[in-house]
Amino acid sequence: MEHENVREALLKKNYHENCPGCKVDKEKELKTDVSFRNLFNIWTVVLCSSLPVSSLFPYLYFMIRDFNIAEREEDISAYAGYLGSAFMFGRSLTSIFWGLVADRYGRKPVVIFGVISVIVFNILFGLSTSFWMAVATRFFLGCLNGSLGPMKAYCTEIFREEKQGLGLSTLSAAWGIGLIIGPALGGYLAQPTEKYPRIFSKDSFWDKFPYFLPSLSISAFAFVVAIACIWLPETLHNHPLNNESTESYDVEAVETGSERKDVDKIIQKDENLFLNWPLMSSIIVYCIFSLYDVSYTEVFSLWAVSPRRLGGLNFTTDNVGDVLAISGVGLIVYQLSLYPSLERVFGPVRFSCISGVLSIPLVQSYPFMTMLSGITLYLAINIASLLKNILSMTIVTCLFILQNRAVEQRQRGAANGISMTAMSIFKAIGPAGGGAVLAWSQKRMHASFLPGTHMVFFVLNIVGGLGVLLVVTPFLRQKKTTPSDQLDTLT
């Protein structure tokens, strides 16, 4: 009986007045946490963070060409890779710091600061007049925009456990849509004087800065999001967790058995995150697939606009924008309708493994599309792009779920900071490596083994295959749920 009283005392939830985290917990208790407002907050903030990441890819080839830094046309892809990596390199240096700040001061301040950094540095990037200015602005944008890690923790904390899949699905959907709509915006709005001469005249400001309009449009959206973030609910508790539950009860009175162990688990919550294998294994797998995805994103855009003689599709930035916009619409429908049900059926580990396996033959089919033309080509490339983005977002969402279930609230910001740092390092390697491999493959168009762009997609699939191998047990582990694991939001 005494042991039952211990458990009841430990599981009792005492809400504190004027605590934002307690207010969120009350809403979860009343089952009012799944609201359009919460989903909208997640959507807008994450979309704002993801739009700048890849919006430059459709026009990056032409931007590097205009900077006159590449000596040969085949070298443009390599320089494009360095510029594409600057953002992720900057983010890899500061993600743990922003995670710790979010755990100490709250998710909301970090999110607002990150959105403001998008406003400032994305505009400066659009005004770049040299390669090194563009690299610097992208680097500082990566350093100062630490919103994504805290938002992953936020999605886990704003919803009850059974609805966390919906929250993280919304986050990954917004992230995926940003990675698709961003390049679409870049494709449609770059070089406006050439595409829309009736609106933007030659020798005007828009002719001098042909890549400013897509940056300006994203910064304008970020400005609106920054204002909306004033009303973003905070999920972090502003008082010590679990102290009240244990200090009112004589813990030493529990002398024996598993009850004492349960108490010890609750009191000793600050475990070393680097020794948390369910967390670290999911982060490692996440890094591999992040390298795979960001390399694919850069290679796809550069390959699509490359001339036919170099194994590309000879697309315009508008063509690339069309393909990515169609993929974005399909991804929204999938993530918000089919994904939650499929994830419950298969589970996050099995679902990500299936998606990784299906991605490999799909990606290897891309070079053969150069044999097509006209409506057949557009139909094939749109279907392939849609399927590839759906499979990528499935894997990412499943790994988000595993990472955030592996830790408790007080360490969730730091855990996501570690995840973002590791992922950003790999994503910094991705564009540089992808651009370099694409440039190399375009120099071997007549090779006997995997000629031309067959090689770059084969290299991508080596990375994807490694990710698939690591998804399965014994490498990837899930945290086993225990009663004490349910006390994340105890006060």
Side-chain angles (χ1 to χ4, degrees):
M1 184 68 180
E2 185 179 6
H3 292 170
E4 290 299 322
N5 291 337
V6 173
R7 185 175 295 280
E8 289 179 10
L10 291 172
L11 294 175
K12 185 178 179 181
K13 297 181 181 180
N14 300 315
Y15 296 113
H16 288 243
E17 190 176 357
N18 299 322
C19 171
C22 287
K23 183 178 179 181
V24 169
D25 286 351
K26 283 183 180 180
E27 292 181 355
K28 291 195 286 188
E29 279 294 307
L30 297 172
K31 298 185 178 180
T32 59
D33 55 323
V34 179
S35 65
F36 174 78
R37 177 191 176 190
N38 287 338
L39 295 174
F40 182 76
N41 288 336
I42 295 168
W43 185 272
T44 54
V45 171
V46 176
L47 185 62
C48 176
S49 298
S50 63
L51 282 174
V53 175
S54 57
S55 61
L56 73 166
F57 287 155
Y59 60 81
L60 189 53
Y61 187 93
F62 305 101
M63 191 180 204
I64 298 298
R65 183 195 63 188
D66 293 348
F67 285 149
N68 295 317
I69 193 170
E71 295 182 1
R72 298 183 300 173
E73 186 177 19
E74 292 85 347
D75 296 328
I76 290 177
S77 295
Y79 282 99
Y82 302 145
L83 180 53
S85 295
F87 175 89
M88 291 298 171
F89 178 66
R91 192 164 69 177
S92 70
L93 299 179
T94 60
S95 290
I96 293 179
F97 168 77
W98 290 121
L100 294 172
V101 171
D103 280 345
R104 179 72 179 272
Y105 300 104
R107 321 308 188 200
K108 184 175 177 177
V110 176
V111 168
I112 292 176
F113 188 85
V115 173
I116 292 173
S117 71
V118 173
I119 299 172
V120 175
F121 287 98
N122 211 49
I123 284 180
L124 292 176
F125 174 73
L127 296 173
S128 297
T129 55
S130 69
F131 174 76
W132 295 112
M133 180 180 175
V135 169
T137 53
R138 293 285 294 180
F139 173 78
F140 284 114
L141 176 58
C143 286
L144 299 177
N145 183 11
S147 300
L148 186 59
M151 282 306 297
K152 288 198 287 183
Y154 182 89
C155 290
T156 306
E157 296 158 0
I158 200 71
F159 297 116
R160 300 188 308 279
E161 183 176 357
E162 64 268 23
K163 297 297 182 182
Q164 288 173 1
L166 175 63
L168 290 168
S169 175
T170 301
L171 180 144
S172 59
W175 180 257
I177 295 305
L179 295 182
I180 292 171
I181 292 184
L185 285 174
Y188 290 135
L189 300 181
Q191 300 169 317
T193 56
E194 296 180 14
K195 298 174 183 174
Y196 316 109
R198 295 183 179 180
I199 303 175
F200 304 96
S201 60
K202 280 283 187 182
D203 300 323
S204 64
F205 172 86
W206 307 104
D207 192 30
K208 184 178 180 181
F209 299 100
Y211 311 106
F212 179 65
L213 187 57
S215 298
L216 177 64
S217 64
I218 294 172
S219 292
F221 174 69
F223 180 77
V224 175
V225 173
I227 295 174
C229 281
I230 296 173
W231 295 277
L232 185 72
E234 178 60 73
T235 59
L236 192 69
H237 293 268
N238 59 11
H239 58 86
L241 295 179
N242 299 324
N243 289 348
E244 296 83 356
S245 300
T246 55
E247 63 186 27
S248 63
Y249 193 89
D250 185 7
V251 176
E252 297 299 328
V254 184
E255 297 291 345
T256 62
S258 60
E259 297 294 347
R260 178 53 190 259
K261 293 180 181 178
D262 288 341
V263 174
D264 291 340
K265 285 181 183 179
I266 294 167
I267 295 173
Q268 299 172 2
K269 280 184 166 286
D270 291 331
E271 63 176 325
N272 188 330
L273 293 176
F274 292 100
L275 299 180
N276 183 336
W277 186 245
L279 171 65
M280 298 309 299
S281 62
S282 62
I283 288 177
I284 293 171
V285 176
Y286 178 45
C287 289
I288 298 298
F289 278 112
S290 294
L291 175 63
Y292 182 49
D293 290 340
V294 76
S295 300
Y296 162 81
T297 302
E298 166 128 344
V299 165
F300 174 79
S301 294
L302 293 173
W303 167 71
V305 299
S306 296
R308 290 271 184 171
R309 64 182 180 82
L310 296 179
L313 299 179
N314 200 31
F315 275 12
T316 65
T317 55
D318 280 352
N319 297 144
V320 176
D322 291 338
V323 173
L324 296 175
I326 292 171
S327 297
V329 173
L331 191 59
I332 292 174
V333 174
Y334 166 76
Q335 284 289 105
L336 299 183
S337 60
L338 295 177
Y339 173 81
S341 300
L342 293 173
E343 189 273 328
R344 283 194 295 270
V345 171
F346 293 106
V349 175
R350 185 182 301 174
F351 200 14
S352 56
C353 184
I354 293 171
S355 300
V357 170
L358 293 176
S359 295
I360 293 174
L362 179 64
V363 169
Q364 201 59 51
S365 70
Y366 276 53
F368 295 100
M369 294 185 190
T370 58
M371 301 168 64
L372 306 176
S373 61
I375 189 63
T376 307
L377 171 61
Y378 282 98
L379 184 62
I381 198 67
N382 275 287
I383 293 174
S385 177
L386 173 59
L387 291 175
K388 177 62 179 70
N389 283 289
I390 284 176
L391 295 172
S392 295
M393 284 305 105
T394 296
I395 296 169
V396 168
T397 307
C398 290
L399 294 172
F400 283 172
I401 292 174
L402 293 175
Q403 288 170 24
N404 283 278
R405 287 180 179 173
V407 293
E408 300 169 4
Q409 188 192 47
R410 66 172 62 192
Q411 293 183 296
R412 202 164 278 145
N416 281 291
I418 294 171
S419 173
M420 293 300 298
T421 296
M423 177 270 288
S424 297
I425 292 173
F426 278 75
K427 283 200 170 183
I429 297 170
V437 174
L438 178 61
W440 170 62
S441 68
Q442 290 177 335
K443 296 175 183 176
R444 53 187 305 280
M445 295 300 297
H446 303 291
S448 57
F449 177 70
L450 296 174
T453 53
H454 288 271
M455 176 59 76
V456 70
F457 289 105
F458 175 75
V459 173
L460 285 178
N461 276 330
I462 292 176
V463 179
L466 176 60
V468 171
L469 290 177
L470 297 182
V471 164
V472 296
T473 306
F475 185 85
L476 185 63
R477 299 281 181 85
Q478 296 188 71
K479 184 179 180 182
K480 294 182 179 180
T481 303
T482 65
S484 62
D485 294 328
Q486 306 301 322
L487 299 177
D488 287 359
T489 55
L490 262 182
T491 62

